[in-house]
Amino acid sequence: MLSSLRHGRDGRDSADEVWRGASAGARLSAGRTFHTIMSIRELLKVRPDGGREHVHGEALLDPDVLGTTLFLHQVRGTAVALEEWVRYPQVSVENAFAGLGFEGDVVLRTGNTTVLALTGLPNYRIEGYEEGAEFLVGLPLLVRDWQTRVVDFVSSVRAELTESTVANGGDLRRVPILERRQLQLRTLVAGIRADVAFIESPYIVRSAGSRQYLDRLSAAAGMSRQLQDLNSQIDQAESLYDGISAVVQVIEEKQQRRLRRGLELVLGVIAATSLADMFALANSAAAAPPDWLVWSELALVVLCALLIAYYVVSSFRTSGVREADRGDGAAG
């Protein structure tokens, strides 16, 4: 089954990359969790008279057979003796292989065990289903690794957004850094979504029966809840796109306002100088300009200079308050 899984879409080994990631996650998390896979090729039942008979895997679901409850429960850390295991209560466990093989074949999945009792299948087919069970063992660890990567990346980006707000400086040189982080975030999210979509697609296996087998094991492992949590974290990460764009826009607008204020100041000085030169030219053309005219011209020049200064100071104060407000909003 997983021989087809290892050769994915477009002829690339996409699923093999997912398989390696799941295996790596299993190795890295071996100290924190475990999962046991038991494959039963031959099953014998001992009768009260001591005789033995060959039975199929469905005997594991028979409550009248002593000891079968051992296969229906996850391994507990407190179990130290056989007497303890055989006293496990009878519970209902779904057969993940119902209707997919021969009559009597059973695959059971608990919190940390997978039991395959496929006594009616040839060896080469059993190995394929064993690989499927191994894949589902590593998949939760892979999803956990994706969650860790998303959470860590989101935390680092939020810290950078806080440092890059206008209230904390708003350096234009940080714009390329933020844009690069935005691209990295998009790449991370797109890659995870593509891998999740491929894992859930029917093209990861050859047959619909194999897909149904993986789906049943996935449901027993609670993968839908884990993937839902992953999607929620990805949605939070995608919400940072607008936050990064807003901060970049605020920083760029601040720089533009600085340039505009500088240009307006230069133009104001040029206008005042030109006005003074015009008055000087007019006075030189007159034989003897009256004193009141000279004082009027001087007062007009001083008034223009005061108006320019008032405009520049007011512009600085207004834009500063606006930038602070927008910076706080972008950081939030």
Side-chain angles (χ1 to χ4, degrees):
M1 179 180 65
L2 290 193
S3 59
S4 62
L5 182 147
R6 293 171 184 266
H7 301 284
R9 55 189 185 275
D10 300 331
R12 299 191 298 270
D13 292 343
S14 303
D16 196 31
E17 296 176 1
V18 176
W19 171 269
R20 289 196 298 269
S23 301
R27 290 194 298 271
L28 291 174
S29 303
R32 294 177 295 172
T33 184
F34 70 92
H35 193 99
T36 302
I37 297 178
M38 176 182 292
S39 183
I40 302 174
R41 308 297 179 90
E42 184 180 12
L43 191 61
L44 297 175
K45 183 175 72 170
V46 179
R47 296 191 300 268
D49 59 3
R52 299 184 178 184
E53 63 177 303
H54 289 271
V55 293
H56 294 297
E58 63 183 3
L60 299 179
L61 301 176
D62 187 354
D64 296 329
V65 178
L66 181 64
T68 56
T69 53
L70 170 64
F71 303 95
L72 308 181
H73 291 263
Q74 63 181 7
V75 176
R76 304 178 186 178
T78 57
V80 294
L82 179 62
E83 290 80 3
E84 216 172 329
W85 288 330
V86 297
R87 294 180 62 243
Y88 285 164
Q90 186 73 27
V91 294
S92 177
V93 179
E94 181 182 359
N95 178 14
F97 209 70
L100 300 180
F102 294 115
E103 184 176 355
D105 291 336
V106 169
V107 175
L108 308 175
R109 165 82 189 220
T110 69
N112 56 19
T113 63
T114 300
V115 179
L116 297 93
L118 307 178
T119 57
L121 292 181
N123 184 66
Y124 73 93
R125 292 197 59 187
I126 294 177
E127 290 178 350
Y129 290 109
E130 288 173 349
E131 285 189 338
E134 293 173 0
F135 179 78
L136 261 298
V137 169
L139 194 55
L141 303 177
L142 180 61
V143 173
R144 189 183 306 168
D145 177 68
W146 285 336
Q147 291 175 331
T148 301
R149 291 169 57 190
V150 171
V151 170
D152 292 345
F153 199 91
V154 168
S155 299
S156 64
V157 170
R158 283 178 175 169
E160 292 184 9
L161 287 178
T162 302
E163 296 175 359
S164 302
T165 55
V166 177
N168 292 316
D171 190 353
L172 187 62
R173 291 173 296 182
R174 297 194 62 86
V175 170
I177 299 176
L178 291 175
E179 291 178 341
R180 183 166 59 252
R181 296 291 280 172
Q182 187 179 38
L183 179 60
Q184 292 172 349
L185 182 59
R186 289 184 182 275
T187 302
L188 173 63
V189 169
I192 293 177
R193 285 197 182 279
D195 287 339
V196 171
F198 184 51
I199 289 173
E200 295 180 333
S201 72
Y203 306 108
I204 197 172
V205 289
R206 282 200 182 118
S207 65
S210 297
R211 178 70 263 180
Q212 189 175 4
Y213 170 69
L214 289 181
D215 289 341
R216 290 178 180 178
L217 286 181
S218 177
M223 287 305 304
S224 59
R225 176 180 52 80
Q226 297 183 43
L227 291 176
Q228 185 177 1
D229 294 341
L230 175 63
N231 288 328
S232 299
Q233 293 168 343
I234 289 178
D235 291 339
Q236 293 180 6
E238 289 179 333
S239 67
L240 289 179
Y241 296 158
D242 296 335
I244 294 176
S245 299
V247 171
V248 169
Q249 182 180 2
V250 168
I251 294 176
E252 291 178 342
E253 288 181 357
K254 177 182 177 181
Q255 298 300 323
Q256 292 176 359
R257 281 192 291 270
R258 286 177 178 174
L259 294 175
R260 186 166 58 250
R261 287 196 298 266
L263 180 61
E264 291 172 350
L265 179 59
V266 171
L267 292 177
V269 172
I270 293 176
T273 305
S274 300
L275 185 61
D277 291 341
M278 183 186 68
F279 288 151
L281 180 61
N283 292 336
S284 64
D291 293 340
W292 65 269
L293 181 60
V294 175
W295 284 107
S296 299
E297 294 172 351
L298 180 59
L300 184 59
V301 171
V302 172
L303 179 61
C304 290
L306 291 176
L307 290 175
I308 293 173
Y310 175 77
Y311 171 78
V312 171
V313 172
S314 300
S315 178
F316 268 97
R317 290 180 176 176
T318 304
S319 60
V321 173
R322 185 183 303 115
E323 289 168 356
D325 293 340
R326 294 186 62 182
D328 293 339

